[in-house]
Amino acid sequence: MKFLFNEYLNFALKSFKHRKMRSFLTVIGIFIGIASVVALLSISQGMQDAIEEQFEQFGTDKLIIMTRSGGFNGPPGLDTDTAARPLTEDDINEIKKNKGISRATHMLTKNSVVRFKKETKFLQIWALPPDKDSRRMVTDMQGFEIAEGRDLDEDDKYKVVIGSMLVDQMFDKDVGVGDRLEINGKTFQIVGILEPIGNSQDDTSLEIPIDIMKEVFDTGDEVAMIFAQVKDGLDPSKVAEDVEDDLRDFKDEEEDEESFTVLTNEQLQDQVGSILGLIQAVIVGIAAISLLVGGIGIMNTMYTTVLERTKEVGIMKAIGARNEDVLYIFLVESGLIGLVGGLIGIILGLMMSFGVELAIAQSGFIPMKASVTIELVLGVLLFSFALGAISGVLPAKQAADMKPVDALRYE
């Protein structure tokens, strides 16, 4: 007597029907873990895609030079005085001398009190050199575009361009072109509003003329960040090393004790990727524990099922069922439990990931879309079925090894 797969499936479905509550409780242990895995993978891939899009906009031929105290890679033994040394306009001129650099510019940034009407906020203020070439280099990298009004002109004084979120989200009263606000006690007139960038830091920032920035905040020749463009055909990593050597000599600093860091697009991506990878590994580990518990639950359920159906197994064997037929019957049943758990888990996981996508969009961080592919769905379904089937191997083998006479005698 030989069974076909559809008969194995019928046996499994009948078992589900007669043991609805037990099957449902067993499925819970699977779909919680599967939902976590699906949500994690779709969100992390969506975040990775969004970050890569941002870096593509930044450009692979750009270098960023900033102080070590700016938050990147500061070595543990870095001298405090060295770490606190700011970048200056002289550093920009030194970078421009490098044969691998086609152009370089800088940005000034300060956090300041901003007052509109009677409300006060603490926001980021930034400024760029007034020449069009420098402005275009930075605005193209950052994605700054004017949505309403105009950009700053070279002869502007106390004028300001504001981020999109300042219009109707930061203050109780709407802010618009022509309105006036105070920055660090000085009155500025709004001449332009930026298109939404997609992250709260940029969308709540304000740009003022660089000369006024120096005056209001007394920055001297200090700069916050330097952007440099590598000449066509050259390796950005090699040019970055040359720039680092030049600046080290110019600032008279020892290797590994520099007050600055030179970063390429690739290095920035690696840093962000390592952070995302660490977060992903932790969450996957938690989800794996949940799946392990779910697998044990399936095994326990299948052992109970085998005991309840001992006489049924004896009858099947007595009329000609082979050991492998009995084995497959219980494996298909345990695999089906895993498959149902996986299907529910996928639905819940996608709901979770789209919920996170919506929350991120509303919070003002980098916009992202949860990445859902057919490979992800099919892979998770296959994994959940395999998990269920593997968890049922021992109970199924126990049923297959039963002797017909002993099984028929079982009470």
Side-chain angles (χ1 to χ4, degrees):
M1 180 179 181
K2 185 176 181 180
F3 288 84
L4 299 176
F5 179 78
N6 64 324
E7 294 176 301
Y8 299 143
L9 189 59
N10 286 333
F11 276 112
L13 292 174
K14 287 179 181 178
S15 179
F16 256 55
K17 184 177 179 181
H18 290 112
R19 301 168 182 83
K20 294 178 182 177
M21 182 55 68
R22 184 197 301 164
S23 298
F24 175 72
L25 294 175
T26 305
V27 163
I28 289 177
I30 294 296
F31 74 63
I32 291 176
I34 293 294
S36 302
V37 170
V38 170
L40 167 70
L41 293 178
S42 57
I43 292 170
S44 62
Q45 186 58 52
M47 184 66 73
Q48 186 70 34
D49 293 342
I51 292 172
E52 287 178 359
E53 184 178 336
Q54 294 286 320
F55 280 119
E56 285 177 7
Q57 181 175 287
F58 175 78
T60 58
D61 61 343
K62 305 295 193 306
L63 305 180
I64 292 181
I65 300 92
M66 60 175 61
T67 60
R68 288 276 178 112
S69 58
F72 287 86
N73 295 336
L78 188 63
D79 180 74
T80 304
D81 293 335
T82 302
R85 291 177 63 181
L87 293 168
T88 67
E89 293 178 5
D90 289 337
D91 296 325
I92 301 173
N93 294 329
E94 185 65 24
I95 291 171
K96 287 180 178 179
K97 295 177 183 178
N98 189 288
K99 294 180 180 180
I101 298 298
S102 61
R103 57 179 176 167
T105 188
H106 65 286
M107 175 186 285
L108 291 179
T109 60
K110 290 291 180 181
N111 292 321
S112 173
V113 172
V114 177
R115 183 179 180 84
F116 179 69
K117 303 299 183 183
K118 296 182 179 181
E119 286 187 86
T120 298
K121 303 291 181 181
F122 196 68
L123 303 172
Q124 184 182 73
I125 316 298
W126 55 279
L128 300 175
D131 63 284
K132 292 183 178 180
D133 189 54
S134 294
R135 291 186 62 80
R136 187 181 303 110
M137 178 180 175
V138 178
T139 55
D140 287 349
M141 289 165 54
Q142 303 289 357
F144 295 144
E145 294 183 8
I146 298 295
E148 184 179 346
R150 64 172 177 85
D151 202 352
L152 294 177
D153 290 332
E154 290 188 26
D155 56 351
D156 279 334
K157 296 300 181 183
Y158 289 91
K159 307 295 183 182
V160 60
V161 172
I162 64 173
S164 60
M165 291 180 67
L166 268 73
V167 174
D168 55 11
Q169 297 184 44
M170 295 300 295
F171 299 99
D172 289 341
K173 294 185 178 180
D174 289 353
V175 183
V177 173
D179 287 337
R180 298 179 183 274
L181 47 75
E182 289 184 10
I183 299 174
N184 205 31
K186 300 291 185 178
T187 301
F188 288 76
Q189 183 181 30
I190 299 171
V191 296
I193 300 170
L194 291 172
E195 290 277 4
I197 304 299
N199 64 81
S200 57
Q201 181 173 335
D202 287 332
D203 288 336
T204 58
S205 64
L206 306 90
E207 182 195 4
I208 63 177
I210 195 165
D211 290 339
I212 303 301
M213 179 84 150
K214 293 179 179 181
E215 175 189 318
V216 171
F217 295 98
D218 191 23
T219 62
D221 65 349
E222 176 183 338
V223 301
M225 191 178 300
I226 299 172
F227 302 98
Q229 183 166 356
V230 178
K231 289 182 178 178
D232 292 342
L234 298 182
D235 181 4
S237 297
K238 180 62 172 64
V239 176
E241 291 178 5
D242 293 341
V243 169
E244 187 172 339
D245 290 339
D246 292 344
L247 272 183
R248 188 188 302 119
D249 293 340
F250 177 72
K251 298 169 81 69
D252 192 22
E253 296 175 356
E254 297 294 329
E255 189 172 356
D256 296 329
E257 293 183 3
E258 301 93 342
S259 61
F260 62 90
T261 183
V262 182
L263 295 170
T264 64
N265 183 301
E266 184 179 355
Q267 288 172 318
L268 287 169
Q269 288 193 65
D270 288 343
Q271 289 186 16
V272 174
S274 63
I275 294 171
L276 286 177
L278 179 60
I279 295 173
Q280 185 174 353
V282 171
I283 300 178
V284 165
I286 296 172
I289 295 173
S290 175
L291 290 172
L292 177 62
V293 173
I296 294 173
I298 291 177
M299 187 180 297
N300 180 63
T301 296
M302 294 310 300
Y303 269 122
T304 304
T305 301
V306 168
L307 290 176
E308 290 178 346
R309 298 170 64 182
T310 299
K311 279 194 174 182
E312 184 180 338
V313 170
I315 294 172
M316 285 191 293
K317 284 197 165 190
I319 61 175
R322 300 171 301 169
N323 286 357
E324 62 189 67
D325 291 321
V326 176
L327 180 71
Y328 291 152
I329 286 172
F330 287 98
L331 283 181
V332 169
E333 183 173 337
S334 60
L336 190 60
I337 292 175
L339 187 64
V340 172
L343 186 60
I344 298 175
I346 288 172
I347 295 172
L348 290 179
L350 294 180
M351 292 172 62
M352 290 165 58
S353 60
F354 288 127
V356 171
E357 176 187 322
L358 180 61
I360 290 177
Q362 292 180 342
S363 67
F365 290 107
I366 294 176
M368 59 145 280
K369 293 186 179 296
S371 178
V372 182
T373 63
I374 188 65
E375 291 83 1
L376 172 63
V377 173
L378 293 179
V380 169
L381 283 175
L382 182 61
F383 172 78
S384 56
F385 178 81
L387 175 65
I390 292 171
S391 300
V393 167
L394 292 179
K397 191 174 185 308
Q398 175 181 307
D401 291 341
M402 286 182 185
K403 295 180 180 180
V405 175
D406 294 335
L408 290 170
R409 289 177 178 174
Y410 182 79
E411 294 295 336

